[in-house]
Amino acid sequence: MTTTEKTTNWTALLAFVLMGAYLGVIFVQSEVVSWFRIQEMFRFQSFHMYGIIGSAVAVATLSIQILKRTGLETLAGDPIELSPKAWGDSRIPAARYWMGGTLFGMGWALLGACPGPIFALIGAGVGVLVVGLLAALLGTWTYSVLRSRLPH
Amino acid sequence: MLEALSAPWPWYVAGPLLGLIVPLLLLVGGKAFGISSSLRHMCAATPTPDSWKPAFLRYDWKGSGLWNLAFVVGIALGALLAVSLLGVPDAGQSISAATRADLAALGIQDFSGLVPAELFSWDRLLSPAGFVVVVVGGFLVGFGARWAGGCTSGHAISGIANLQLPSLIAVLGFFAGGLLVTFGLLPILLG
């Protein structure tokens, strides 16, 4: 074992737990964690989900522009950086984004939950989502094995 | 007082509050909002011999991913807090009548709670529909998110907010896949 100077910063971790909890409350109370709401969205039968995602994107876009233009720093005094999403090297344009995206969308419509809501549903007491989480981990592991053979 | 907080929160309240997590994470921790990476960190943290792990899962997950794991634990705790104080929302009752009618035609009868009991319960897990929805659905969420390099949070929210074209393409893919399942697969699966 090599000795490292790095120790776990518990205060920072607690801050992330609290920010996650903030999100968890919103996820449940806005019902975006609900399979019913996801069905309603994919059937274009209510503005609810589109309004939530749309206004979240609007607020996030505006916030990022403000952060970039004011040059604000993180609490720790580091510059704020957002690394751009890279184009892959496959000859099929944007292969990973639309192929992976389509498979993800199929999973989203079946399970009625993307990763954040999986954790929220477990917290909300929908126990069988533990199996959904294990399946998602298996999916992640399988991707990791096949990664070099998939177009990106 | 709690009455005012009961579900469903309207989109114009929930959406902006959700969007604020992006600057909050950047300012407090210098982190880009994204949730599905936590699945990779969990795989990387699995206590198996390193030789069992593909290269993609061999990295310093404590250094790069501990914050993300704390974040998803927080999401579960926040959800627990919400249902403890305010009860489990009956989302099946608040969706539009048209959706309820469509789902009823597919055989969904229980519209209480957040998910239909016909698909999400331990004794339905091994029925064809329950298995495909929970296990195949979960698998595709994990596989697809990593292949696409992000999920709803990383692409649809942070990615588009940072004006990333790849994220927009990914989101179009999310919808293509979602529509394929909703109008192609679900009627066969539940019919």
Side-chain angles (χ1 to χ4, degrees):
Chain A
M1 290 281 281
T2 53
T3 47
T4 57
E5 298 294 319
K6 248 198 302 186
T7 51
T8 307
N9 185 341
W10 294 103
T11 321
L13 281 188
L14 180 65
F16 288 118
V17 171
L18 291 176
M19 287 188 278
Y22 164 81
L23 208 59
V25 171
I26 302 169
F27 276 166
V28 170
Q29 291 310 109
S30 65
E31 299 179 347
V32 302
V33 298
S34 169
W35 186 90
F36 295 112
R37 285 288 186 191
I38 303 304
Q39 273 299 302
E40 185 187 51
M41 172 181 77
F42 281 128
R43 292 169 188 276
F44 304 100
Q45 286 165 333
S46 164
F47 184 68
H48 188 74
M49 289 294 302
Y50 297 98
I52 288 179
I53 297 174
S55 58
V57 170
V59 167
T61 309
L62 199 66
S63 309
I64 289 174
Q65 289 306 316
I66 292 172
L67 292 181
K68 279 182 177 170
R69 278 157 209 228
T70 55
L72 275 174
E73 295 175 332
T74 67
L75 278 189
D78 300 318
I80 288 177
E81 281 163 9
L82 270 172
S83 45
K85 302 275 184 192
W87 295 106
D89 51 11
S90 169
R91 265 180 301 174
I92 309 163
R96 72 175 302 181
Y97 295 112
W98 63 268
M99 292 182 182
T102 303
L103 288 189
F104 174 82
M106 294 177 70
W108 189 14
L110 283 170
L111 189 63
C114 43
I118 292 178
F119 294 104
L121 283 167
I122 292 172
V126 187
V128 76
L129 259 290
V130 171
V131 178
L133 174 61
L134 291 174
L137 291 172
L138 183 67
T140 304
W141 197 296
T142 307
Y143 165 78
S144 306
V145 172
L146 300 179
R147 187 164 186 265
S148 58
R149 276 176 264 172
L150 297 170
H152 277 79
Chain B
M1 155 76 202
L2 284 181
E3 198 81 335
L5 294 175
S6 63
W9 290 359
W11 65 265
Y12 50 83
V13 172
L17 289 177
L18 196 62
L20 282 178
I21 196 72
V22 171
L24 205 57
L25 276 174
L26 283 170
L27 283 170
V28 173
K31 304 296 182 195
F33 179 43
I35 297 175
S36 65
S37 297
S38 65
L39 300 171
R40 181 185 176 197
H41 301 317
M42 284 179 189
C43 289
T46 306
T48 63
D50 257 8
S51 59
W52 292 13
K53 284 184 186 144
F56 190 63
L57 298 178
R58 289 195 299 258
Y59 62 96
D60 175 24
W61 61 270
K62 277 185 195 163
S64 61
L66 215 49
W67 80 270
N68 208 227
L69 296 174
F71 190 58
V72 299
V73 167
I75 291 177
L77 291 176
L80 173 64
L81 181 76
V83 298
S84 308
L85 290 179
L86 301 161
V88 177
D90 277 323
Q93 302 293 334
S94 37
I95 54 171
S96 76
T99 309
R100 262 203 311 280
D102 284 358
L103 294 176
L106 290 177
I108 303 289
Q109 290 170 340
D110 188 346
F111 287 91
S112 64
L114 291 167
V115 297
E118 287 95 343
L119 297 171
F120 294 87
S121 58
W122 292 105
D123 52 336
R124 295 298 170 91
L125 197 54
L126 291 179
S127 75
F131 182 84
V132 172
V133 163
V134 176
V135 179
V136 178
F139 182 92
L140 288 172
V141 164
F143 189 98
R146 211 66 277 117
W147 191 4
C151 61
T152 328
S153 55
H155 277 310
I157 299 180
S158 341
I160 291 186
N162 196 31
L163 315 174
Q164 302 286 306
L165 186 57
S167 291
L168 184 63
I169 295 170
V171 172
L172 292 176
F174 297 171
F175 265 83
L179 295 177
L180 206 67
V181 161
T182 300
F183 295 103
L185 184 57
L186 279 184
I188 300 170
L189 194 64
L190 304 176

